[in-house]
Amino acid sequence: MADHSQAYSLLAARLADSGLNVEAVKQALKAQRVETPSWGYADSGTRFKTFPWPGAARDVREKLADAAMVHKLTGICPSVALHIPWDMVDDWAELKAYGESLGVRIGAINPNLFQDEAYKLGSVCHHDPAVRRRAVEHMLECVEIAGATGSTLLSLWFADGTNYAGQDSLAERKHRLLESLRQVYAAMPADMRMLIEYKFFEPAFYHTDLADWGTAYAVALKLGPQAQVLVDTGHHAQGTNIEHIVAFLLDEGKLGGFHFNARKYADDDLIVGTVNPFELFLIYNELVAAREAARDVAYMIDQNHNIEPKAEAMVLSVLNVQTAYARALIVGRAALAQRQATGDVLGAHCVLTDAFETDVRPLLAQVRVEMGLHPDPIAALKESGYEQKVATERGTASGAGSGFPTA
Ligand code: RM4
Ligand code: MN
Ligand code: MN
């Protein structure tokens, strides 16, 4: 990127003229946090094949090292989400200390309840109480792991559902789900939150037990204040208005967090902001508008990269999230409210599109320089030689596998 200072001065002057506090915007951008997922640094693939990438992380320590590199470049990614058992270790205190030595801490703990043979017909909704018990025990183990690693987030996604009408009792499955989650909820310390993630289909195709935000919301309400909803941007039917869901949940105090990724057709797990940046901006617009009500929202990336360099893809996701936030921060809120109050439909709409169409790259470059970072993190990554270094050190996996990573 060319020197940004001149473009920044022009933009800052224009924003200040419109009544915006540019210093406060920069402050907010410096305080932004985005968690990256350990699995995004490992080999992954489609349902048909796992594609090995040179230098992909082979274990949790390498994943933390990659996440630390992403944090070093962006300055806003100090935590890493783990999946258990993918990231299982014997000594959590040691792993926590290792992460801290690199500059990252452990974030949300995600129990995998989809990869054991026993879970073929479901986990917490399974008809067999022994399978449900196993799922509950795994989640209780994850509560312990969260405690041992200093994490306060238990992030739950269930692959539970059915493929055929009549396969199981929909109502009974709902009862089993709640009964299982109540046991886990009861074991959580007071400062821990349970994030309940919904997804409308896959791996089950007839019905999914937690198919949408309303179902997750109802379950979270029944469980109590420490249970909230997690919105994965890839988990909706085509055309769903995600920003509306966000606004509703925020207003109810039930928006726990996000899994950001991009999708075109289904749960595509593409680089954030690559398919529909306007949607991402509108989501951030609701978050900024909600002010204090959005204070505890956890922002996480949830994507896997098949055909692109891992760290670079992750950095790009983070930058796209940052861009959406920057654009939402420069929305003329007073003008928007005034136009809404007078029924000025297109005037109000244009307040949003004005912000969305603003080139915020000079602002973000300025923020990074003030944070002591390179103004262009992707260029910095390339200059660092990190990806070549790990490719040499770690090599390339044999690539015989298929499906999701198990590293
Ligand atoms: C699911 C969901 C979960 C993720 C798994 C691997 O579709 O998004 O959050 O952890 O995939
Ligand atoms: Mn997710
Ligand atoms: Mn997903």
Side-chain angles (χ1 to χ4, degrees):
M1 190 190 291
D3 181 28
H4 69 278
S5 342
Q6 211 183 344
Y8 170 70
S9 303
L10 289 171
L11 176 61
R14 185 164 76 69
L15 293 175
D17 272 357
S18 72
L20 206 82
N21 181 342
V22 180
E23 286 309 311
V25 167
K26 286 195 292 181
Q27 228 14 73
L29 287 166
K30 289 172 193 172
Q32 185 181 17
R33 293 292 173 261
V34 181
E35 183 163 302
T36 70
S38 65
W39 73 309
Y41 301 106
D43 273 332
S44 58
T46 66
R47 281 198 294 139
F48 306 103
K49 174 166 167 59
T50 294
F51 295 101
W53 191 268
R58 295 163 299 180
D59 59 32
V60 66
R61 291 169 75 90
E62 291 180 356
K63 294 173 190 175
L64 290 184
D66 291 351
M69 184 62 187
V70 170
H71 179 45
K72 199 173 144 203
L73 295 163
T74 61
I76 61 167
C77 303
S79 63
V80 189
L82 299 190
H83 275 262
I84 310 298
W86 287 339
D87 297 321
M88 198 63 181
V89 294
D90 292 332
D91 187 345
W92 289 106
E94 195 270 336
L95 189 75
K96 177 173 184 276
Y98 177 67
E100 280 160 8
S101 77
L102 299 168
V104 288
R105 62 180 172 75
I106 308 297
I109 303 295
N110 297 253
N112 285 2
L113 294 158
F114 47 80
Q115 63 185 95
D116 295 14
E117 204 48 47
Y119 297 144
K120 188 159 80 177
L121 299 180
S123 61
V124 283
C125 302
H126 199 283
H127 61 270
D128 182 348
V131 176
R132 300 204 294 277
R133 173 107 298 270
R134 179 186 178 127
V136 167
E137 268 159 21
H138 183 48
M139 286 186 280
L140 294 176
E141 182 187 19
C142 287
V143 171
E144 295 288 317
I145 292 171
T149 53
S151 167
T152 54
L153 294 176
L154 182 71
S155 196
L156 304 178
W157 172 71
F158 304 100
D160 289 58
T162 60
N163 269 355
Y164 298 98
Q167 179 184 324
D168 200 353
S169 158
L170 304 184
E172 278 309 314
R173 290 179 72 94
K174 170 175 178 281
H175 301 156
R176 297 172 200 148
L177 172 75
L178 256 162
E179 184 200 85
S180 305
L181 287 186
R182 281 205 166 106
Q183 296 171 55
V184 180
Y185 187 90
M188 294 198 311
D191 65 347
M192 189 172 290
R193 282 187 292 154
M194 176 190 281
L195 307 184
I196 303 172
E197 178 177 359
Y198 57 90
K199 167 156 123 167
F200 77 125
F201 85 112
E202 197 203 23
F205 295 110
Y206 166 65
H207 110 288
T208 297
D209 290 288
L210 280 169
D212 58 21
W213 73 270
T215 317
Y217 172 71
V219 169
L221 260 190
K222 286 202 168 165
L223 289 172
Q226 286 170 252
Q228 293 178 308
V229 179
L230 184 141
V231 176
D232 182 314
T233 46
H235 288 191
H236 305 85
Q238 295 283 2
T240 301
N241 186 329
I242 302 177
E243 60 273 21
H244 181 204
I245 297 169
V246 168
F248 186 96
L249 291 174
L250 275 170
D251 196 58
E252 293 295 324
K254 280 294 188 190
L255 182 65
F258 285 97
H259 275 174
F260 288 129
N261 46 48
R263 60 75 67 92
K264 186 144 181 79
Y265 299 106
D267 186 21
D268 304 344
D269 286 336
L270 299 173
I271 293 174
V272 187
T274 50
V275 177
N276 194 350
F278 191 51
E279 177 181 74
L280 191 61
F281 159 73
L282 293 173
I283 289 170
Y284 262 98
N285 178 51
E286 293 303 330
L287 290 158
V288 172
R291 304 165 71 98
E292 273 303 282
R295 197 189 45 223
D296 294 329
V297 174
Y299 301 94
M300 296 170 274
I301 287 173
D302 191 31
Q303 58 173 135
N304 77 42
H305 317 288
N306 304 322
I307 57 165
E308 64 272 45
K310 310 279 167 193
E312 184 178 341
M314 197 64 80
V315 170
L316 187 53
S317 272
V318 175
L319 301 190
N320 289 346
V321 174
Q322 215 176 13
T323 299
Y325 186 38
R327 287 169 165 165
L329 285 168
I330 61 167
V331 166
R333 304 259 151 220
L336 183 63
Q338 190 266 330
R339 291 176 192 188
Q340 288 174 345
T342 55
D344 181 358
V345 176
L346 293 184
H349 177 68
C350 286
V351 172
L352 292 190
T353 53
D354 275 353
F356 177 67
E357 283 168 13
T358 302
D359 182 0
V360 292
R361 286 175 298 182
L363 171 66
L364 290 169
Q366 179 65 21
V367 164
R368 293 186 194 114
V369 168
E370 290 181 19
M371 290 170 80
L373 303 168
H374 191 295
D376 181 347
I378 301 268
L381 174 63
K382 295 200 161 144
E383 282 163 24
S384 75
Y386 183 80
E387 301 208 279
Q388 291 83 336
K389 179 174 150 289
V390 294
T392 310
E393 282 168 12
R394 300 173 186 169
T396 308
S398 66
S402 68
F404 282 111
T406 51

